[in-house]
Amino acid sequence: MSLLKETLLVFTDLDGTLLDIHTYDWHPATSWLNKLQDHQIPVILCSSKTAAETLEIQQDLGLEGLPFIAENGAVIQLDVRWDDHPDAPRLINGTPHTEIRRLIDPIRERTGYKFTTFDDVDERVIGEWTGLNRERSALARLHEASITLIWRDSDERMTQFEAELVQLGLKFVQGARFWHILDARGGKDQAVNWLIDEYRKREGFVPTTIGLGDGPNDAPLLDNVDYAVVVKGINRFGIQLQDDIPERVYHTTQPGPEGWSEGLDHFLSASRHIT
Ligand SMILES: [Mg+2]
């Protein structure tokens, strides 16, 4: 049985996975993006970016109207057709940004932990950090339910900080470039499962799922899909998956969008049939 049919859902990380880590180019993935669209298979973006930023990237990729997961699962954008849903157009999944800010500011004052958040700087600095233009950098600051930061302190102090966050019901997750603080109850895993369940209820089928990611914050995504593609990444820690067997998990030899296509070739190419 081929996986390439309407009951498939593709969940994908952005930076370092579908988008090149340095240039944000996705063109090596174009052929697969077109093929998935031809088969009406939803490509659901799932990253640490804000919803404002992801809406623009969706348009660039020709994926507008589909659901997506922003801020590492703290925000879930619904399919545009689900406008009768009480949370439409999107669900804020946990503690809001301003409340997280209110919880961590006193910790930083008391302990002097060295880190710089996106709220501490303007879009010019975010542009320097990310290589994004001024307009996209402004959208990258519009967090609704998480905080993004650069850690500038020791690994030991990070462990202490993380323990304090856990006490407050928060968690600390690492993306491609930055660290993120969000509600401990939310995450890419929780958001993926919520969307799978919503497809099941609304579309009346149990979807088969493929996930693609390159960083440690993608492990919860990749552990909760049927087939996982680990795109070769730059992170020094790599990704540890719970069930890393060749039948379920493919590790690409190429990074970014080339690796993304390589992973889909592996699981979805015409010659491959999975029963
Ligand atoms: Mg990534």
Side-chain angles (χ1 to χ4, degrees), residues 13-17 21 47-48 175-177 188 213-215 217-218:
D13 174 51
L14 287 170
D15 290 3
T17 302
I21 190 77
S47 83
S48 51
R177 291 185 176 79
K188 286 188 174 184
D214 73 313
N217 64 329
D218 296 314

Side-chain angles (χ1 to χ4, degrees), residues 168-179:
L168 295 168
L170 300 172
K171 65 178 166 188
F172 200 37
V173 299
Q174 186 180 24
R177 291 185 176 79
F178 304 111
W179 287 85

Side-chain angles (χ1 to χ4, degrees), residues 48 69-75 93-95 100-101 103-104 107 145-149 151 158-175 178-193 216-221 224:
S48 51
I69 294 164
E71 300 190 35
N72 282 301
V75 175
N93 191 20
T95 311
I100 300 176
R101 178 93 261 170
L103 290 169
I104 68 158
I107 297 180
S146 68
I147 282 176
T148 294
L149 59 84
W151 184 255
M158 182 189 281
T159 308
Q160 290 166 14
F161 180 54
E162 190 167 9
E164 297 199 54
L165 293 177
V166 169
Q167 293 273 316
L168 295 168
L170 300 172
K171 65 178 166 188
F172 200 37
V173 299
Q174 186 180 24
F178 304 111
W179 287 85
H180 310 274
I181 300 170
L182 61 150
D183 195 314
R185 293 166 296 179
K188 286 188 174 184
D189 47 348
Q190 204 260 0
V192 163
N193 285 321
N217 64 329
D218 296 314
L221 157 65
N224 282 276

